[in-house]
DNA sequence: TTGCTAATAATGTATAGACATAATTGATCG
DNA sequence: CGATCAATTATGTCTATACATTATTAGCAA
């Protein structure tokens, strides 16, 4: 494939980061080393690194070098992800109660599960998020263990699995489906609302590169929760 | 303020675009002209233009020149905006029915209105979106006429004001508040559902630079509509 | 006219080097 | 031992130039 050199350099490094070969915080080769590797001028290397820096994949510091950025908390994206943070910022007490946890193979009759895990194992987690001891969200989550093997050994008591994932696994793509649905019996029981009450339903899938990471379904108490999504080119 | 030259060039042009001085589709000065204006090398100009291009504010075409990009339909953002497009893509018939239209001064006791229009006039539009002759969304919209004076003369029969705005006015920032609410009497009547039925409620504000453009409140029939939001660094 | 071809004008990529800037490291001095 | 200052090293900006690429335009021929 014909591709500009700076583009190739950029993609090589991007790939190394997304694959996990270069971990967050790792220092990447200095510009002169990259010049040597690719036999090119410094401006060319610099252009590649600038592009990576501008999308927030790396941090560049004079004298120190360039480093893989820590997973950015949804730079500008959708304020759903870290429920725990959000609740704490509102000055409420956060608690996560684990209801169920099991490891199993994907059910190939369910479209989403196969797409997520391929032939690998899935971790199923079910729980409720509380704000000030009042149930706020009922969550069912599937995690691909081939993408996140560390998750299997993890204790889930207390801390929300979503928050852990956000901190430890960078994602590159996410899709949210958002709808308003009436609470069914299960949801109504866990959220302590009447059957048929309006609930905000969010289904989110995330990927790192081409690998599915997780699929979450969340029911929020309609009267108690709003999503806020902010977009823009706003420079800080 | 100390600022790299390429950054200054970038901001100058960006400001001209956001202020409306350079309209969508307009051709901007060729690189050699900018070199002359800023008395600098071509690479410097090019860097500025590349940055603008990478965030989608301009399109660059060889031989032809650089042009202000047409307002991008939510490049990657939230699939709410163009309801009309969405319905048509589903193969349904789209119709918009205007219920109310009035021009008035902002009500300074309502926080949102003053923030939107300052001392200028507001256009209030209320209507219902239909898919296949079934009501899908009840919409109340405020448009700042100081930001979009063309809107006052516009006939609103038939076509959705949202679609018109999207095509003609570029926005740089948007904020969405999304919630699930039970239908009140007014909403229930317009959407032809029972009182208390779960509705998806979206409140969106958009800005161009620092100027508020529009504030929309939409109620969707919960059982008939999902929002899809996709994020990612995905090229293409 | 139509259809091909060549000139041209714009952006796109890349080089090699200069100087600026910032942070770390190490050396020197109190 | 600690504080200060200078040397070093890496990135940041910019110049001047060259050649590549591509879409448009103009010219010429069937």
């Amino acid at each position: 494939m014909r591709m500009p050199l700076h583009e190739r350099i950029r993609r090589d490094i991007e790939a190394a980061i997304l694959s996990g070969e270069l971990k967050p915080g790792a220092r990447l080769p200095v510009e002169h080393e990259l010049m040597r590797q690719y036999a090119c001028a410094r401006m060319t290397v610099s252009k590649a690194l600038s592009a990576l820096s501008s999308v927030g994949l790396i941090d560049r510091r004079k004298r120190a070098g360039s480093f893989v950025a820590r997973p950015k908390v949804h730079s500008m994206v959708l304020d759903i992800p870290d429920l725990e943070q959000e609740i704490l910022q509102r000055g409420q007490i956060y608690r996560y109660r684990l209801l169920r946890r099991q490891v199993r193979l994907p059910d190939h009759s369910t479209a989403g599960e196969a797409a997520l895990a391929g032939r690998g194992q899935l971790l199923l987690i079910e729980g409720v998020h509380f704000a000030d001891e009042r149930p706020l969200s009922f969550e069912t989550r599937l995690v691909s263990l081939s993408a996140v093997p560390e998750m299997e050994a993890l204790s889930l008591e207390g801390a929300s699995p979503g928050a852990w994932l956000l901190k430890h696994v960078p994602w590159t793509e996410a899709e949210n489906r958002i709808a308003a649905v009436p609470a069914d019996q299960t949801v109504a029981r866990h959220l302590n609302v009447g059957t048929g009450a309006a609930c905000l339903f969010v289904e989110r899938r995330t990927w790192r590169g081409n690998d599915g990471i997780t699929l979450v379904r969340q029911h929020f108490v309609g009267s108690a929760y709003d999503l806020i999504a902010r977009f823009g080119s706003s420079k800080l």
Side-chain angles (χ1 to χ4, degrees), chain A residues 94-98 125-130 139 156 158-161:
Chain A
Y94 172 80
R95 189 165 70 84
Y96 176 75
R97 179 162 159 240
L98 181 66
I125 305 169
E126 218 172 81
V128 179
H129 300 266
F130 291 83
E139 173 181 311
L156 292 170
S160 132

Side-chain angles (χ1 to χ4, degrees), chain A residues 190-224:
Chain A
H190 286 123
L191 293 183
N192 196 27
V193 296
T195 312
C199 288
L200 192 62
F201 173 70
V202 176
E203 181 182 87
R204 177 168 51 254
R205 294 158 214 263
T206 55
W207 291 265
R208 188 178 63 185
N210 286 320
D211 304 324
I213 297 178
T214 187
L215 164 66
V216 205
R217 294 197 182 93
Q218 292 172 306
H219 288 264
F220 294 90
V221 177
S223 58

Side-chain angles (χ1 to χ4, degrees), chain A residues 83-85 87-88 92-99 127-137 156-161:
Chain A
L83 202 47
E84 179 169 351
Q85 281 300 324
I87 291 173
L88 291 175
Q92 300 181 301
I93 297 167
Y94 172 80
R95 189 165 70 84
Y96 176 75
R97 179 162 159 240
L98 181 66
L99 297 173
V128 179
H129 300 266
F130 291 83
D132 274 349
E133 295 306 319
R134 293 227 307 270
L136 179 65
S137 163
L156 292 170
E157 305 299 329
S160 132

